[in-house]
Amino acid sequence: MAWALMGAFLCGPLLGFVYLSVPGLAVEVTVPTEPLSLPKGKTAELSCSYSTSVGDNFALEWSFVPPGKPVSASLPILYFTNDHLYPTGSKADRASLVHNPPTGGVATLKLTDLHPSDTGTYLCNVNNPPDFYTNGLGLINLTVLVPPSHPLCSHSGQTSVGGSAALKCSSSEGAPKPVYNWVHLGSSPTPPPGSMVQDEVSGQLILTNLSLTSSGTYRCVASNQMGSASCELNLSVTDSSEGRVAGTLIGVLLGVLLLSVAAFCLIRFQKERKKEPKETYGGSDLREDATAPGVSEQVSMRASYSKSLLEKAPSASTVTAKSKLSMVV
């Protein structure tokens, strides 16, 4: 205090005015030092008390700072000034003062039906000019407790013998942040050291050097102080060598089947061919293009007779001409 008065008297003349600090007029705000934690849906009372001489310029402001934001990014909740209370912002319908008007040194804020989004830092700011000796500001950290929501289980990787797989588990809600624990259900043998590594914070389970005994149902439990929730996942590990043997065996069986069908068709074709009668022509068989017996001989004789007539015709005409000449003479 002495140093403050000395500074005021030394610097005051240089700046053109003098600061006077009177004991008892400085605004002093008192808030809890421990963070406040309450379950979702409950009512919170954020305690804030102050000491000052209440005058016509007294003003109170409550504001909210979301997690990870600076104090300069605070959002107003309510104001009290000029003997009137002015709720504002998204929490206006759930925010009020325990003592209204807050002129008796108590400025406690009441917030009903807590939401997960209410988690953050609350600022109690008291102003009473000309009491500028302190900033009149108090900070309260509030955490709204929420049980873990139903987690989502998934897996990735090569789920074959000798491969590796990553099992993941995550809850979209939960405050404090849930921890995760994986359990292999059923009577399975204890895995070799180092083949099963889980991260309780991220909810990831790493399985290495998979074997057929790694198959089965895995359960993930997400828990915090408010409760727990779980999900299950079925993991099937396959043996790639068995798959290759099975594929080869199927290929051989198909080849044998095709050869059997081809042989059967060939044998049947040979049998059908042997059953067909051979095409022969007997003496009594008639064909459309065949010549009847004896007809060929008659045709041949007629052709010879016609030829002889043609050869004898010139000699006959010559005899006739000679006889006519003799008669003329």
Side-chain angles (χ1 to χ4, degrees):
M1 182 66 70
W3 287 104
L5 291 174
M6 184 178 296
F9 282 105
L10 292 176
C11 299
L14 298 176
L15 298 176
F17 54 87
V18 176
Y19 292 104
L20 295 177
S21 178
V22 180
L25 293 182
V27 177
E28 295 182 1
V29 174
T30 303
V31 294
T33 57
E34 296 295 327
L36 182 62
S37 299
L38 289 171
K40 174 184 175 181
K42 298 294 183 178
T43 298
E45 290 189 2
L46 307 181
S47 177
C48 178
S49 60
Y50 64 91
S51 61
T52 186
S53 58
V54 177
D56 294 337
N57 295 325
F58 174 82
L60 169 67
E61 178 187 1
W62 273 99
S63 57
F64 169 73
V65 181
K69 299 291 185 179
V71 175
S72 59
S74 62
L75 305 173
I77 299 176
L78 58 79
Y79 298 95
F80 180 86
T81 184
N82 297 327
D83 295 329
H84 287 88
L85 183 65
Y86 302 97
T88 184
S90 60
K91 307 180 192 300
D93 57 341
R94 299 183 292 120
S96 63
L97 292 175
V98 174
H99 297 282
N100 188 21
T103 55
V106 178
T108 300
L109 175 69
K110 183 178 181 180
L111 189 62
T112 62
D113 188 21
L114 290 176
H115 298 169
S117 59
D118 293 332
T119 295
T121 303
Y122 290 78
L123 280 62
C124 176
N125 191 8
V126 178
N127 290 314
N128 191 22
D131 291 352
F132 295 114
Y133 183 68
T134 60
N135 57 12
L137 180 65
L139 282 67
I140 304 175
N141 291 319
L142 172 65
T143 299
V144 180
L145 303 177
V146 181
S149 60
H150 185 78
L152 177 64
C153 289
S154 62
H155 74 86
S156 60
Q158 184 179 1
T159 56
S160 59
V161 172
S164 301
L167 279 59
K168 298 179 181 179
C169 176
S170 177
S171 295
S172 59
E173 292 184 356
K177 189 175 180 180
V179 294
Y180 302 94
N181 185 34
W182 283 94
V183 178
H184 189 186
L185 303 180
S187 57
S188 56
T190 303
S195 64
M196 180 182 292
V197 179
Q198 66 173 322
D199 187 340
E200 294 183 347
V201 176
S202 65
Q204 184 169 256
L205 174 66
I206 303 297
L207 301 174
T208 58
N209 194 21
L210 292 173
S211 64
L212 295 178
T213 58
S214 302
S215 299
T217 302
Y218 290 79
R219 175 182 294 167
C220 173
V221 180
S223 59
N224 62 11
Q225 65 189 74
M226 294 301 297
S228 63
S230 63
C231 62
E232 294 183 357
L233 180 148
N234 290 321
L235 183 68
S236 178
V237 180
T238 58
D239 191 345
S240 57
S241 61
E242 291 183 357
R244 289 193 295 268
V245 171
T248 304
L249 181 59
I250 292 174
V252 171
L253 291 177
L254 288 176
V256 172
L257 179 61
L258 292 175
L259 290 175
S260 300
V261 172
F264 173 78
C265 293
L266 181 60
I267 293 172
R268 185 173 180 181
F269 175 75
Q270 293 292 342
K271 289 182 178 180
E272 293 293 335
R273 188 174 181 182
K274 289 179 179 180
K275 290 181 180 180
E276 292 180 358
K278 295 183 178 180
E279 188 175 358
T280 56
Y281 300 98
S284 60
D285 293 336
L286 295 179
R287 294 173 56 186
E288 292 182 359
D289 58 346
T291 305
V295 175
S296 59
E297 297 178 357
Q298 294 179 5
V299 172
S300 179
M301 293 176 63
R302 290 178 180 176
S304 301
Y305 179 72
S306 298
K307 185 178 181 181
S308 62
L309 290 178
L310 291 174
E311 292 175 353
K312 293 178 179 182
S315 60
S317 59
T318 305
V319 172
T320 306
K322 288 182 178 181
S323 63
K324 289 182 178 180
L325 288 175
S326 62
M327 288 178 66
V328 171
V329 174

